[in-house]
Amino acid sequence: MRHNLFRLLLLVLMLPAAAQADVFALGEYALLPGADGSNRHELLVTVPAVLDTGGSITLPKGCRQTGERRQIDGAQVRLLFGFACGRPLLPSDTIITPWPVDGARYAMGGAVVPLTPQSEGVILPIGLHHAPARPLLAVAADYIRQGVFHILTGWDHLCFVLCLCLLVRGRQLLALITLFTLGHSISLASAFFDVITAPMPPVEAVIALSIIFMAREALLADDAGKASPRRQAVVTTGFGLLHGLGFASALSEIGVSAQEQVAGLLFFNIGVETGQLLFVAVVIAVMAAAARAGCASQLRTAALYGAGIMSSVWLFERVLGFAAA
């Protein structure tokens, strides 16, 4: 019975391996105004190809679509919509796009700002240059949500935290989570403000390798409480610095306006830590329940092997990806 349970858990843990480690559907939008005195305009849209299942944009009142071009570029699709209006565009006008993206960047009038998708889609303000600065609470809610979403859909980061949870317990776990947080907070800020730069494909490959290393560390430990505290502190901090570069890449993809850089970085990091702590709490609760059921050891082994197998697949895919580039 226990062997069957072990195989089932291992199979379930392997299912996400075919998916990307970080799943974040970003939409990019640019409004290209017509020549002076012309009421003809173009909207350039770039979204993941899997989201391009039809639908149409909703133009301001008095405007009509005049053309549409579509170009598929790998995993993305670029769409160019032409439209004409019987009047000049007003600052209060909006364009509503239908694609269900997770985040959006909008370029108009020389500025690029992040937008939060709504239930009906992404709403593009025409008068961006007239828009006032967002309230701090709105900025906080937006970037905290993005941070939580990124960590909870980032399988590679979650796998690393999972290995930490299964390596040590109690105060030692708290210490390692704190060091991991400190490490990736430092590198996140440094990379975001271009203090340090690193090519992302090799970084992502080494992130996968860090999970394999940590899963091996946990499997080789006599039990979850006998790891060397000094060794694990150094290793965890170092890998935290590495993972922070991945977080910085995600924050850059979201797009942050100049006036929101400091607040965006702070609240995105808070969101990442919030999601991370939620995941740690779930892992601890599941392992406590498994201990009461008498299968904690089998579950721990299956989870560590699952994390190692998934990370090996990611490592292989990422090395092939940047080697072929």
Side-chain angles (χ1 to χ4, degrees):
M1 180 66 179
R2 288 187 177 182
H3 290 295
N4 291 335
L5 176 61
F6 176 86
R7 291 178 184 141
L8 177 60
L9 289 170
L10 187 57
L11 176 61
V12 170
L13 285 166
M14 290 174 60
L15 288 177
Q20 293 183 354
D22 292 297
V23 181
F24 186 87
L26 177 70
E28 297 183 273
Y29 310 84
L31 183 62
L32 311 175
D36 292 343
S38 171
N39 290 326
R40 290 183 174 273
H41 311 273
E42 290 181 320
L43 177 67
L44 178 63
V45 178
T46 303
V47 294
V50 294
L51 300 182
D52 183 30
T53 57
S56 59
I57 60 175
T58 302
L59 296 169
K61 186 176 181 180
C63 300
R64 61 181 178 83
Q65 185 172 323
T66 58
E68 176 181 340
R69 293 206 301 267
R70 174 181 276 97
Q71 178 184 359
I72 297 178
D73 183 10
Q76 292 185 319
V77 60
R78 291 185 176 88
L79 304 128
L80 184 64
F81 298 93
F83 65 97
C85 302
R87 56 173 177 79
L89 291 174
L90 303 174
S92 58
D93 286 331
T94 60
I95 299 175
I96 302 177
T97 64
W99 301 281
V101 295
D102 303 312
R105 291 190 301 192
Y106 178 49
M108 179 194 172
V112 179
V113 298
L115 296 176
T116 302
Q118 308 298 319
S119 58
E120 63 268 40
V122 176
I123 301 176
L124 308 177
I126 298 297
L128 179 63
H129 53 290
H130 297 292
R134 293 196 295 172
L136 183 60
L137 286 178
V139 174
D142 185 15
Y143 286 104
I144 288 175
R145 180 184 68 84
Q146 298 283 9
V148 171
F149 179 87
H150 178 75
I151 187 68
L152 294 183
T153 57
W155 287 97
D156 47 0
H157 303 303
L158 291 182
C159 279
F160 187 87
V161 175
L162 174 65
C163 292
L164 291 181
C165 293
L166 300 179
L167 174 65
V168 293
R169 303 188 188 102
R171 292 183 180 179
Q172 194 173 353
L173 174 59
L174 178 61
L176 291 188
I177 292 296
T178 302
L179 290 172
F180 181 63
T181 296
L182 178 63
H184 69 62
S185 296
I186 291 172
S187 57
L188 168 58
S190 299
F192 181 69
F193 287 113
D194 294 324
V195 176
I196 59 174
T197 58
M200 283 312 300
V203 167
E204 291 177 347
V206 180
I207 285 175
L209 188 61
S210 73
I211 305 166
I212 299 171
F213 178 88
M214 197 57 68
R216 178 181 179 275
E217 286 285 293
L219 286 167
L220 291 180
D222 290 338
D223 58 42
K226 290 187 178 181
S228 169
R230 180 176 299 179
R231 170 188 169 86
Q232 298 307 332
V234 172
V235 170
T236 301
T237 304
F239 284 149
L241 291 168
L242 186 69
H243 281 248
L245 298 177
F247 293 138
S249 175
L251 183 56
S252 297
E253 287 179 356
I254 294 171
V256 183
S257 61
Q259 65 269 28
E260 293 180 359
Q261 282 190 337
V262 175
L265 173 64
L266 172 63
F267 291 117
F268 180 83
N269 201 43
I270 290 174
V272 168
E273 305 318 320
T274 301
Q276 181 175 282
L277 291 175
L278 287 172
F279 179 72
V280 169
V282 169
V283 172
I284 292 175
V286 169
M287 293 306 297
R292 288 194 294 270
C295 60
S297 177
Q298 293 87 343
L299 179 59
R300 177 177 179 272
T301 302
L304 290 171
Y305 271 108
I309 292 170
M310 284 191 292
S311 303
S312 298
V313 173
W314 294 329
L315 177 61
F316 182 74
E317 290 177 341
R318 293 172 184 184
V319 168
L320 283 183
F322 72 75

